[in-house]
Amino acid sequence: MTASGWRITEQRRMLAEIFAKTDAYLSPKDVYDQMTVSYPSVSFDTVYRNLRLLSEMGALEQFYFMDGGLKFKCSCLEHHHHHLICMNCEKTLTFDYCPMDHSLELPGSFKITSHRFEIYGVCEQCQQESAT
Amino acid sequence: MTASGWRITEQRRMLAEIFAKTDAYLSPKDVYDQMTVSYPSVSFDTVYRNLRLLSEMGALEQFYFMDGGLKFKCSCLEHHHHHLICMNCEKTLTFDYCPMDHSLELPGSFKITSHRFEIYGVCEQCQQESAT
DNA sequence: CTTCCTGCAAATCGTTTGCATCAGT
DNA sequence: ACTGATGCAAACGATTTGCAGGAAG
């Protein structure tokens, strides 16, 4: 997976494992916190460097939340899709509906290059937990 | 406009004018730069304070771009709508289509609280200018 | 053994806060 | 005059950079 020209270090292997295990968006701090559990000596900048490296390689999706906070998520495989994002646990669910597939009536000759569509809310699990 | 309990200062009047004149998203720095032209002594924190104040009052829409950068825009009147955003000049066009009006097939019992839909590209004017 | 990666410390950027002074009412 | 707003400087959090030592190939 990381074997495309880059060295496989323990830190990178650990990073990959963390993202393989979750379908949530993680902030650099989330990742750092998880890393330090089993590897207390990692430094914050190594986390940053490797997150950036992995997202430039395309292994991670990088993304800024509603509140401007930076997050990363495993981008494994994946065709075009959008996300449901739980505001509580920040796990994501994907769905295939894309508003761009529909004939939007857009003002004049605007050249479209990209779009962004996300739905925010509370996932089933978090609803149950908060109901207790 | 600002007369709902707050003092009308020259800085605030100027802020309002800047936003009244444009339909672009402006970063705090954009605003600051425009303010200093005719009022060189404003401070950055006053800009921040008033931007925050005006968006809490609902006069400005606050928003984090694709790149995580904070932006503001006049929210005058306005019913529910979404934006076309020019990546070049950051002006915005609004349109009424909303993907949430359509029956999306979403996974299970996710409780939706909000959504975000934006289209990015290049506006007509910027296309013409770059064509020269 | 060489090169890349790491950890540390310091730099930077955007934003916020505390405080004394100044301006609006 | 009173109170809230401003400007300054310093604090702050998140992210980036330079550099010397350490590990992967």
Side-chain angles (χ1 to χ4, degrees):
Chain A
M1 192 177 184
T2 319
S4 28
W6 303 106
R7 291 190 183 164
I8 299 171
T9 63
E10 190 168 351
Q11 293 87 325
R12 289 180 182 169
R13 180 174 301 286
M14 199 170 300
L15 242 196
E17 277 170 24
I18 288 173
F19 280 101
K21 259 190 297 217
T22 182
D23 56 350
Y25 273 98
L26 299 176
S27 68
K29 180 159 194 330
D30 294 336
V31 175
Y32 177 72
D33 290 343
Q34 288 196 40
M35 298 263 291
T36 47
V37 172
S38 47
Y39 191 160
S41 66
V42 253
S43 67
F44 231 108
D45 20 64
T46 299
V47 172
Y48 272 107
R49 267 188 288 243
N50 287 329
L51 285 173
R52 193 138 54 96
L53 181 67
L54 289 186
S55 52
E56 278 165 10
M57 284 175 48
L60 295 178
E61 247 174 74
Q62 175 181 340
F63 173 100
Y64 290 88
F65 257 50
M66 292 274 264
D67 65 353
L70 179 58
K71 303 277 169 155
F72 293 86
K73 169 180 186 304
C74 184
S75 68
C76 0
L77 28 129
E78 314 281 9
H79 56 292
H80 184 74
H81 65 268
H82 293 282
H83 292 295
L84 279 167
I85 301 173
C86 177
M87 300 295 281
N88 185 244
C89 67
E90 297 191 343
K91 274 205 298 291
T92 66
L93 298 166
T94 62
F95 59 91
D96 289 340
Y97 176 92
C98 177
M100 305 307 281
D101 295 341
H102 297 251
S103 52
L104 315 186
E105 284 174 33
L106 298 179
S109 46
F110 189 91
K111 191 170 79 191
I112 295 172
T113 54
S114 65
H115 64 283
R116 172 170 182 160
F117 177 40
E118 295 124 34
I119 301 178
Y120 294 87
V122 186
C123 70
E124 185 163 10
Q125 193 181 336
C126 286
Q127 286 177 57
Q128 289 173 0
E129 282 168 13
S130 70
T132 51
Chain B
M1 194 175 185
T2 320
S4 29
W6 302 107
R7 292 192 182 160
I8 299 170
T9 63
E10 190 167 352
Q11 294 86 325
R12 289 181 181 169
R13 180 174 300 287
M14 198 171 300
L15 241 196
E17 277 171 22
I18 288 173
F19 280 101
K21 259 190 299 217
T22 181
D23 55 350
Y25 273 98
L26 299 175
S27 68
K29 183 161 193 330
D30 294 336
V31 176
Y32 177 72
D33 290 344
Q34 288 196 40
M35 299 264 289
T36 47
V37 171
S38 48
Y39 192 160
S41 67
V42 254
S43 68
F44 231 108
D45 20 63
T46 298
V47 172
Y48 272 106
R49 269 189 289 244
N50 287 328
L51 286 173
R52 191 139 54 98
L53 182 67
L54 290 186
S55 53
E56 277 165 10
M57 285 176 45
L60 295 178
E61 248 175 73
Q62 175 181 341
F63 172 101
Y64 291 89
F65 256 51
M66 294 275 265
D67 64 354
L70 179 58
K71 303 276 170 154
F72 292 87
K73 171 179 183 305
C74 184
S75 68
C76 0
L77 25 131
E78 314 279 11
H79 55 293
H80 184 73
H81 64 268
H82 292 282
H83 291 295
L84 278 167
I85 301 172
C86 176
M87 300 295 281
N88 186 243
C89 68
E90 297 190 343
K91 272 205 298 291
T92 65
L93 298 167
T94 62
F95 58 92
D96 288 340
Y97 176 93
C98 177
M100 304 308 280
D101 294 340
H102 297 251
S103 52
L104 317 187
E105 283 175 36
L106 299 180
S109 47
F110 189 92
K111 190 170 79 190
I112 295 173
T113 56
S114 66
H115 64 284
R116 173 171 182 159
F117 176 39
E118 296 124 34
I119 302 177
Y120 294 85
V122 186
C123 71
E124 184 163 11
Q125 192 180 337
C126 286
Q127 285 177 56
Q128 289 172 0
E129 282 167 15
S130 70
T132 51

Coordinates of all heavy atoms in Angstrom, one line a residue, chain A residues 71-118:
Chain A
K71 N -9.7 17.4 8.5 CA -10.0 16.0 8.8 C -9.4 15.1 7.7 O -9.3 15.6 6.6 CB -11.5 15.8 8.9 CG -12.2 16.6 9.9 CD -12.1 16.1 11.3 CE -12.6 17.1 12.3 NZ -13.0 16.5 13.6
F72 N -9.2 13.9 8.1 CA -8.8 12.9 7.1 C -9.6 11.7 7.2 O -10.1 11.4 8.3 CB -7.3 12.6 7.3 CG -6.4 13.7 7.0 CD1 -6.1 14.6 8.0 CD2 -5.8 13.8 5.8 CE1 -5.2 15.7 7.8 CE2 -4.9 14.9 5.5 CZ -4.6 15.8 6.5
K73 N -9.6 10.9 6.1 CA -10.4 9.7 6.1 C -9.8 8.8 5.1 O -9.4 9.3 4.0 CB -11.9 10.1 5.8 CG -12.8 8.9 5.5 CD -14.2 9.4 5.2 CE -15.1 8.2 5.0 NZ -14.6 7.3 4.0
C74 N -9.9 7.5 5.3 CA -9.4 6.6 4.4 C -10.2 6.7 3.1 O -11.4 6.7 3.1 CB -9.6 5.1 4.9 SG -8.9 3.9 3.9
S75 N -9.5 6.7 2.0 CA -10.3 6.9 0.7 C -10.3 5.6 -0.1 O -10.7 5.6 -1.3 CB -9.6 7.9 -0.1 OG -8.4 7.5 -0.6
C76 N -10.0 4.5 0.5 CA -9.9 3.2 -0.1 C -10.9 3.0 -1.2 O -12.1 3.3 -1.0 CB -10.1 2.1 1.0 SG -10.3 2.7 2.7
L77 N -10.5 2.4 -2.3 CA -11.4 2.2 -3.5 C -12.2 3.4 -3.9 O -11.6 4.4 -4.3 CB -12.3 1.0 -3.2 CG -12.7 0.6 -1.8 CD1 -14.2 0.5 -1.6 CD2 -12.0 -0.7 -1.4
E78 N -13.5 3.3 -3.8 CA -14.4 4.5 -3.9 C -14.6 5.0 -5.4 O -13.7 5.5 -6.1 CB -13.8 5.7 -3.1 CG -13.3 5.4 -1.8 CD -14.4 5.2 -0.7 OE1 -15.6 5.2 -1.2 OE2 -14.1 5.1 0.4
H79 N -15.9 5.1 -5.7 CA -16.4 5.8 -6.8 C -16.9 7.1 -6.3 O -16.9 7.3 -5.1 CB -17.4 4.9 -7.5 CG -18.5 4.6 -6.6 ND1 -18.4 3.7 -5.5 CD2 -19.8 5.0 -6.5 CE1 -19.5 3.6 -4.8 NE2 -20.4 4.4 -5.4
H80 N -17.5 7.9 -7.2 CA -18.0 9.2 -6.8 C -19.2 9.0 -5.8 O -20.1 8.2 -6.1 CB -18.5 9.9 -8.0 CG -19.0 11.3 -7.7 ND1 -18.2 12.3 -7.3 CD2 -20.3 11.8 -7.6 CE1 -18.9 13.4 -7.0 NE2 -20.1 13.1 -7.2
H81 N -19.2 9.7 -4.7 CA -20.2 9.6 -3.7 C -20.2 10.8 -2.9 O -19.3 11.6 -2.9 CB -20.0 8.3 -2.9 CG -18.7 8.4 -2.1 ND1 -17.5 8.0 -2.5 CD2 -18.5 9.0 -0.9 CE1 -16.6 8.2 -1.6 NE2 -17.1 8.9 -0.6
H82 N -21.2 10.9 -2.0 CA -21.2 11.9 -1.0 C -21.4 11.4 0.4 O -21.6 10.1 0.5 CB -22.3 13.0 -1.4 CG -22.0 13.7 -2.6 ND1 -21.1 14.7 -2.7 CD2 -22.5 13.5 -3.9 CE1 -21.1 15.2 -3.9 NE2 -21.9 14.4 -4.7
H83 N -21.3 12.2 1.4 CA -21.3 11.7 2.8 C -22.4 12.2 3.6 O -22.9 13.4 3.5 CB -20.0 12.1 3.5 CG -18.8 11.5 2.9 ND1 -18.6 10.1 3.0 CD2 -17.7 12.0 2.3 CE1 -17.4 9.8 2.5 NE2 -16.9 10.9 2.0
L84 N -22.9 11.3 4.5 CA -23.6 11.7 5.6 C -22.6 11.7 6.8 O -21.9 10.8 7.0 CB -24.6 10.6 6.0 CG -25.9 10.5 5.2 CD1 -26.6 9.2 5.5 CD2 -26.9 11.6 5.7
I85 N -22.6 12.8 7.5 CA -21.6 12.9 8.6 C -22.3 13.1 9.9 O -23.1 14.0 10.1 CB -20.7 14.1 8.3 CG1 -20.0 13.9 6.9 CG2 -19.6 14.3 9.4 CD1 -19.2 15.1 6.4
C86 N -21.9 12.2 10.8 CA -22.5 12.4 12.2 C -21.7 13.5 12.9 O -20.5 13.4 13.1 CB -22.4 11.0 12.9 SG -23.0 11.2 14.6
M87 N -22.5 14.4 13.4 CA -21.9 15.6 14.1 C -21.4 15.2 15.5 O -20.6 15.9 16.1 CB -22.9 16.7 14.3 CG -23.5 17.3 13.0 SD -22.2 18.1 12.0 CE -22.2 19.7 12.9
N88 N -21.8 14.0 15.9 CA -21.4 13.6 17.3 C -20.2 12.8 17.2 O -19.2 13.2 17.8 CB -22.6 12.8 17.9 CG -22.3 12.5 19.3 OD1 -22.2 11.3 19.7 ND2 -22.1 13.5 20.1
C89 N -20.2 11.7 16.5 CA -19.0 10.8 16.5 C -18.1 11.0 15.2 O -17.1 10.4 15.1 CB -19.4 9.4 16.6 SG -20.3 8.7 15.2
E90 N -18.6 11.7 14.3 CA -17.9 12.0 13.1 C -17.6 10.8 12.2 O -16.8 10.9 11.3 CB -16.6 12.8 13.4 CG -17.0 14.2 14.0 CD -15.8 15.2 14.1 OE1 -14.7 14.7 14.0 OE2 -16.1 16.4 14.2
K91 N -18.3 9.8 12.4 CA -18.3 8.7 11.5 C -19.0 9.1 10.2 O -19.9 10.1 10.3 CB -19.0 7.4 12.0 CG -18.1 6.6 12.9 CD -18.6 5.1 12.9 CE -20.0 5.0 13.5 NZ -20.0 5.2 15.0
T92 N -18.8 8.5 9.1 CA -19.5 8.9 7.9 C -20.2 7.7 7.3 O -19.7 6.6 7.4 CB -18.5 9.4 6.9 OG1 -17.6 8.4 6.5 CG2 -17.7 10.6 7.4
L93 N -21.2 8.0 6.6 CA -21.9 7.0 5.8 C -21.9 7.6 4.4 O -21.9 8.8 4.2 CB -23.4 6.9 6.2 CG -23.5 6.3 7.7 CD1 -25.0 6.5 8.2 CD2 -23.2 4.9 7.7
T94 N -21.8 6.7 3.4 CA -21.7 7.2 2.0 C -23.0 6.9 1.3 O -23.7 6.0 1.7 CB -20.6 6.6 1.2 OG1 -20.8 5.2 1.1 CG2 -19.2 6.9 1.9
F95 N -23.3 7.7 0.4 CA -24.5 7.4 -0.5 C -24.2 7.9 -1.9 O -23.3 8.7 -2.1 CB -25.8 8.1 0.1 CG -25.7 9.6 0.2 CD1 -26.1 10.4 -0.9 CD2 -25.2 10.2 1.4 CE1 -26.0 11.8 -0.8 CE2 -25.1 11.6 1.5 CZ -25.5 12.4 0.4
D96 N -25.0 7.3 -2.8 CA -24.6 7.5 -4.2 C -25.3 8.7 -4.9 O -24.9 9.1 -5.9 CB -24.9 6.2 -5.0 CG -23.9 5.2 -4.6 OD1 -22.8 5.5 -4.1 OD2 -24.2 4.0 -4.9
Y97 N -26.4 9.1 -4.3 CA -27.1 10.2 -5.0 C -26.2 11.4 -5.1 O -25.5 11.8 -4.2 CB -28.3 10.7 -4.1 CG -29.0 11.9 -4.6 CD1 -30.2 11.7 -5.4 CD2 -28.6 13.1 -4.3 CE1 -30.8 12.8 -5.9 CE2 -29.3 14.2 -4.8 CZ -30.4 14.1 -5.6 OH -31.1 15.2 -6.1
C98 N -26.2 12.0 -6.3 CA -25.4 13.2 -6.6 C -26.2 14.2 -7.3 O -26.8 14.0 -8.3 CB -24.2 12.9 -7.4 SG -23.2 14.3 -7.8
P99 N -26.4 15.4 -6.7 CA -27.2 16.4 -7.2 C -26.8 16.8 -8.6 O -27.6 17.3 -9.4 CB -27.1 17.6 -6.2 CG -25.9 17.3 -5.4 CD -25.7 15.8 -5.4
M100 N -25.5 16.6 -8.9 CA -25.0 17.1 -10.2 C -25.5 16.2 -11.4 O -25.4 16.6 -12.5 CB -23.5 17.1 -10.2 CG -22.9 17.9 -9.1 SD -23.5 19.6 -9.1 CE -22.5 20.3 -10.4
D101 N -26.1 15.0 -11.0 CA -26.6 14.2 -12.1 C -28.0 14.7 -12.6 O -28.5 14.2 -13.6 CB -26.8 12.7 -11.5 CG -25.5 12.1 -11.2 OD1 -24.5 12.5 -11.7 OD2 -25.6 11.1 -10.4
H102 N -28.5 15.6 -11.8 CA -29.8 16.1 -12.2 C -29.7 17.4 -12.9 O -28.7 18.1 -12.8 CB -30.7 16.3 -10.9 CG -30.9 15.0 -10.3 ND1 -32.1 14.3 -10.2 CD2 -30.0 14.2 -9.6 CE1 -31.9 13.2 -9.6 NE2 -30.7 13.1 -9.2
S103 N -30.7 17.8 -13.7 CA -30.5 19.0 -14.5 C -30.8 20.2 -13.6 O -32.0 20.5 -13.4 CB -31.5 18.9 -15.7 OG -32.8 18.6 -15.2
L104 N -29.8 20.8 -13.1 CA -30.0 22.0 -12.3 C -30.1 23.1 -13.3 O -29.5 23.2 -14.3 CB -28.7 22.2 -11.5 CG -28.1 21.0 -10.7 CD1 -27.0 21.5 -9.8 CD2 -29.2 20.3 -9.9
E105 N -30.9 24.1 -12.9 CA -31.0 25.3 -13.7 C -30.0 26.3 -13.1 O -30.3 26.9 -12.1 CB -32.4 25.9 -13.6 CG -33.3 25.1 -14.5 CD -34.8 25.6 -14.4 OE1 -34.9 26.8 -14.1 OE2 -35.7 24.8 -14.4
L106 N -28.9 26.4 -13.7 CA -27.9 27.2 -13.2 C -27.7 28.5 -14.0 O -28.0 28.5 -15.2 CB -26.5 26.5 -13.2 CG -26.5 25.3 -12.3 CD1 -25.1 24.6 -12.4 CD2 -26.8 25.6 -10.9
P107 N -27.4 29.6 -13.3 CA -27.2 30.8 -14.0 C -26.1 30.7 -15.1 O -25.0 30.2 -14.9 CB -26.7 31.8 -12.9 CG -27.1 31.2 -11.6 CD -27.1 29.7 -11.9
G108 N -26.5 31.2 -16.3 CA -25.6 31.3 -17.4 C -24.4 30.4 -17.6 O -24.4 29.2 -17.3
S109 N -23.3 31.0 -18.1 CA -22.2 30.2 -18.5 C -21.1 30.1 -17.4 O -20.0 30.6 -17.6 CB -21.6 30.8 -19.8 OG -21.5 32.2 -19.6
F110 N -21.5 29.5 -16.4 CA -20.6 29.3 -15.3 C -19.8 28.0 -15.6 O -20.5 27.0 -15.9 CB -21.4 29.2 -14.0 CG -20.5 29.2 -12.8 CD1 -20.2 30.4 -12.1 CD2 -20.1 28.0 -12.2 CE1 -19.5 30.4 -10.9 CE2 -19.3 28.0 -11.0 CZ -19.0 29.2 -10.4
K111 N -18.5 28.0 -15.5 CA -17.8 26.7 -15.8 C -17.6 25.9 -14.5 O -16.8 26.3 -13.7 CB -16.5 27.0 -16.5 CG -15.8 25.8 -17.0 CD -14.6 26.1 -17.9 CE -13.4 26.4 -17.0 NZ -12.3 27.0 -17.8
I112 N -18.3 24.8 -14.4 CA -18.2 24.0 -13.2 C -17.0 23.2 -13.1 O -16.6 22.5 -14.1 CB -19.4 23.1 -13.1 CG1 -20.7 24.0 -13.0 CG2 -19.3 22.2 -11.9 CD1 -22.0 23.2 -13.1
T113 N -16.3 23.3 -12.0 CA -15.1 22.4 -11.9 C -15.2 21.4 -10.8 O -14.6 20.4 -10.8 CB -13.8 23.3 -11.6 OG1 -14.1 24.1 -10.5 CG2 -13.5 24.2 -12.8
S114 N -16.0 21.7 -9.8 CA -16.2 20.7 -8.7 C -17.4 21.1 -7.9 O -18.0 22.1 -8.1 CB -14.9 20.7 -7.8 OG -14.8 21.9 -7.1
H115 N -17.7 20.2 -7.0 CA -18.9 20.5 -6.1 C -18.7 19.8 -4.8 O -17.8 19.0 -4.6 CB -20.2 20.1 -6.8 CG -20.2 18.6 -7.0 ND1 -19.5 17.9 -8.0 CD2 -20.9 17.6 -6.3 CE1 -19.8 16.6 -7.9 NE2 -20.6 16.4 -6.9
R116 N -19.6 20.2 -3.9 CA -19.5 19.7 -2.5 C -20.9 19.5 -2.0 O -21.7 20.4 -2.1 CB -18.7 20.7 -1.7 CG -18.7 20.4 -0.3 CD -17.7 21.4 0.4 NE -17.7 21.0 1.8 CZ -16.7 21.3 2.7 NH1 -15.7 22.0 2.3 NH2 -16.8 20.9 3.9
F117 N -21.2 18.3 -1.5 CA -22.5 18.1 -1.0 C -22.3 17.1 0.2 O -21.8 16.0 0.1 CB -23.4 17.4 -2.1 CG -24.8 17.1 -1.6 CD1 -25.5 17.9 -0.7 CD2 -25.4 15.9 -2.0 CE1 -26.7 17.5 -0.3 CE2 -26.6 15.5 -1.6 CZ -27.3 16.4 -0.7
E118 N -22.8 17.6 1.3 CA -22.7 16.8 2.5 C -24.0 17.0 3.4 O -24.5 18.1 3.4 CB -21.5 17.2 3.4 CG -20.2 17.0 2.8 CD -19.4 18.2 2.8 OE1 -19.5 19.0 3.8 OE2 -18.6 18.4 1.9

